[in-house]
Amino acid sequence: MPMIHHHISALRAAIQPYRAAQRIALVPTMGNLHDGHLELVNIAKQHADIVVVSIFVNPTQFGVGEDFDSYPRTLDEDVAKLATVGADYVFAPNIDEMYPVLPPPTTVRAGAITEQLCGKTRPTHFDGVGIVVSKLFNIVQPNVAIFGQKDYQQLAIIKQLVRDLSYSIEIIGAPIVRAADGLALSSRNQYLSESERQTAPILQQELQYLAKRIGGNHQPLDVLLAASRQRITSAGFVIDYLDIKTAQLDSLKTDGSSVNFNENQQDLVILVAAWLGRARLLDNQLVTANTV
Ligand code: PAF
């Protein structure tokens, strides 16, 4: 079983002896672990000797009216799952331990990259992610940290944070883990009713459909996106965004424009966030010259 620590000082003391000769990995989570999280631990074990998994439902990344209070907290089950994949330490602090003052007067803001996509409807979300991830990095001081690619924008922001704040931490993006029917695994999938769960894979099917057509038949991107939005909405989703960006999340001209991967076209990513009932689902698909 992994050792559980609830206090920063105890965790630091426990992992200090490893620092000289062994590599430490951090897998930050908010708990309620599923196979996607366990895969992050598997990847962490390939890159480090000691794996620390943090479990903390971070209040600063939830906006007013969001699901902070109802977010599932399942520490005992999580620890049992982590034992099956050989995590070494669980860091499960309470709110006071992480935030002596809440909200913290110190902020970690990542600028323009946070103002698009999820940041448009969740304007304070990435500030909360920025401060909690910075704190976890300072507490654990890992050699490597693993984040899921499902949260594509979050991963890009964390890479920027590491670059700009000179953290000496390797960031690894882990491929999205999907259910057999294609739905990206997420703790929030449990908010779906049975019939919504049947509908949910449509999001990924639509991303795959778009990925094949972008650059394939040279239809303008805005036409492809509009048709896709129409189908997703008709299936019962309320779309937050469906967009195509460069892989670095720079904007792309979509109006009347098509993509030609034969002309030095850079890699692209299609990103979607959509509500289905109570669940806000996220997914994305990279599009490279090989995909089309
Ligand atoms: O992706 C998540 O689960 C959270 O945003 C993270 C990175 C653990 C920070 O709270």
Side-chain angles (χ1 to χ4, degrees):
M1 279 296 230
M3 286 282 298
I4 307 176
H5 288 290
H6 300 285
H7 295 284
I8 295 170
S9 55
L11 178 79
R12 280 188 173 145
I15 60 179
Q16 183 58 34
Y18 302 111
R19 291 201 186 282
Q22 290 181 290
R23 277 171 66 82
I24 297 173
L26 170 66
V27 178
T29 81
M30 297 207 300
N32 196 240
L33 305 182
H34 50 66
D35 286 352
H37 295 110
L38 301 187
E39 187 53 21
L40 301 182
V41 176
N42 289 331
I43 294 172
K45 285 172 71 75
Q46 291 161 19
H47 293 269
D49 309 291
I50 301 294
V51 177
V52 180
V53 178
S54 63
I55 296 182
F56 178 62
V57 184
N58 172 35
T60 62
Q61 68 188 77
F62 289 79
V64 177
E66 291 187 354
D67 57 344
F68 173 69
D69 289 331
S70 59
Y71 199 87
R73 287 148 171 95
T74 51
L75 184 60
D76 292 344
E77 292 92 324
D78 291 346
V79 173
K81 287 181 187 171
L82 289 172
T84 67
V85 287
D88 300 287
Y89 291 93
V90 170
F91 177 51
N94 66 24
I95 292 181
D96 292 346
E97 183 73 4
M98 285 299 273
Y99 295 113
V101 176
L102 187 67
T106 304
T107 53
V108 179
R109 312 203 69 183
I113 191 172
T114 68
E115 284 157 20
Q116 53 176 319
L117 302 169
C118 290
K120 277 198 174 151
T121 48
R122 307 186 73 193
T124 56
H125 172 66
F126 290 117
D127 296 349
V129 171
I131 191 151
V132 81
V133 169
S134 302
K135 286 173 70 77
L136 290 168
F137 283 174
N138 288 328
I139 292 165
V140 179
Q141 295 177 29
N143 302 92
V144 56
I146 326 292
F147 293 85
Q149 283 171 0
K150 183 172 76 66
D151 298 300
Y152 193 95
Q153 188 178 11
Q154 171 174 280
L155 179 60
I157 289 167
I158 287 161
K159 286 181 178 164
Q160 182 186 292
L161 188 89
V162 164
R163 180 197 69 192
D164 292 349
L165 299 185
S166 307
Y167 280 110
S168 176
I169 301 173
E170 182 189 356
I171 301 299
I172 295 181
I176 300 175
V177 178
R178 299 182 179 281
D181 60 10
L183 177 65
L185 297 191
S186 162
S187 300
R188 289 187 167 106
N189 290 352
Q190 63 192 271
Y191 298 157
L192 296 168
S193 70
E194 236 170 76
S195 73
E196 287 162 354
R197 177 62 189 79
Q198 303 299 313
T199 305
I202 287 176
L203 268 195
Q204 198 247 352
Q205 289 158 16
E206 205 56 53
L207 291 183
Q208 280 191 345
Y209 176 90
L210 280 172
K212 289 211 180 74
R213 270 150 195 83
I214 289 169
N217 60 4
H218 299 271
Q219 250 189 306
L221 298 182
D222 54 341
V223 174
L224 281 171
L225 284 171
S228 234
R229 285 192 193 105
Q230 176 63 48
R231 286 189 294 272
I232 293 172
T233 306
S234 305
F237 291 86
V238 177
I239 297 178
D240 190 347
Y241 58 80
L242 170 68
D243 212 344
I244 304 179
K245 302 260 176 186
T246 70
Q248 289 71 39
L249 291 185
D250 294 323
S251 294
L252 208 67
K253 188 175 164 335
T254 54
D255 289 7
S257 303
S258 60
V259 168
N260 187 346
F261 279 103
N262 296 325
E263 292 172 5
N264 298 328
Q265 175 71 50
Q266 50 191 322
D267 292 349
L268 304 176
V269 58
I270 315 167
L271 307 110
V272 67
W275 288 90
L276 191 56
R278 227 160 57 78
R280 183 173 179 275
L281 303 180
L282 278 187
D283 207 341
N284 64 78
Q285 174 80 47
L286 267 173
V287 190
T288 64
N290 300 333
T291 324
V292 296

